[in-house]
Amino acid sequence: MNAATSESPRNFDGARHPHNIVVGVCGGIAAFKACQLVREFTEGGDQVRVIPTNSALQFVGAATFEALSGNPVSTSVFEDVHEVAHVRYGQEADGIVIAPATADFLARVAAGRADDLLAATVLVATCPVVIAPAMHTEMWNNPATQANVATLRERGIVVLNPAVGRLTGKDSGAGRLPDPSHIAAVARTVFSGASMEHNLTGVNVLISAGGTQEVIDPVRFIGNHSSGRQGFALAEIAVQRGATVTLVAANNSTLPNPPGVKVIPVETTVELQHAMHNQAEGADVIIMAAAVADFRPAKPAEHKMKKSQGDAGLSTIELVENPDVLASLVEARAGGSLAAETVIMGFAAETGDDKQSILEYAQDKLQSKGCDVLMCNEVGPGKVFGQTTNQGFLLDSDGTVTEVAAGSKHVVSAQIWDKLALLL
Ligand code: CTP
């Protein structure tokens, strides 16, 4: 390897998430989802204290939160006064996540109020605070709410974008509480020290994720082990940092759509290539995180192939080469159909062998693909594909190599976005 290693990795460690988590719950129909959120943390080994508002208890009873968290629940600063609870919970917390947060609660925190136990806890806390709002679209879009959100973000509180979809009544729009697994993943990323700085506002991002599948016949395909988690996490972190994100998702039906992200489902490499080129205009950053099948059956069968067909059927499948989507995007930029400033990033899934190390293969790949940045990671049994953690190296076209420390795919995504933000 002839490149100089630049920055030393920050102390990201997916396993080092904090142990004292306060889950705040406000009064909205989505309060029931807080039960699942509490579970996400307790099952991850965290100690959870639930602090609901009085209105939250109209939707979910204290007994439910007590049973799920294993800790008593109170809403008022006048309970457990001898323990000075309104100060202690905030001081002792390693992380606070409030889900759902109502428009009223956002206003109270923005104004610095301390009129119930939850607001007082937030006012005292010096740990990271993540707020997941849920409300009707009109309330979310109201300039007062938006001003409160902007104020909280300026103060370093991470306010998640609500999901778009069916709301309490017959209406639908922006305002749904995101899936609890998404809230927990983003909160853990923030608690681990990763940057969630809102520094991607106005940036258009296009990401591919998942693994393409090439049809052999109506029941069979050629595919790979990619889960799509890394591409989805890149999209989730980018949108929470202010970007406008389009995600071309290859065969990811098991992952929930990231809130606030336009998702275009595809199956094959050719479909993925069309979708990427259709969406690429105006993109500031394009990331090819998808694991793309290099070859596809030359003649997919219309009917299920039979074992008895012998060589004419399943035992010999003629393949043709798929387009190289990443290289074609680089070519489109060189040809002027994409803006010259578009930053294009690829991934290199390598195993290394007795001829070259994974980094040497990645250097070759960076040059042959012509992209600006390449995330190189080692794949193999139990590594990367299908896993929830990742690590590797970011290679720059100027020869810089930056280590990406091990962590959840969200934590790794935050490090990647730190790097990409510097290139924009
Ligand atoms: N890629 C692509 N189109 C392909 C193959 C790969 O756009 N037909 C992209 C992937 O999305 C990834 C990068 O190219 O960003 C490297 O993918 P990888 O599978 O590691 O490399 P290959 O080009 O397939 O080379 P090889 O499998 O020989 O290592």
Side-chain angles (χ1 to χ4, degrees), residues 208 269 288-294 322-327 345-350 365 369:
S208 71
T269 301
M288 277 296 301
V292 179
D294 292 320
N322 265 330
D324 188 316
V325 184
L326 178 58
M345 174 179 169
F347 272 73
E350 301 292 347
K365 200 165 273 179
K369 303 269 181 179

Side-chain angles (χ1 to χ4, degrees), residues 212-214 222 269 292-298 319-323:
T212 58
Q213 294 180 357
E214 308 298 342
I222 298 171
T269 301
V292 179
D294 292 320
F295 292 88
R296 67 178 185 275
L319 301 176
V320 289
E321 197 167 344
N322 265 330

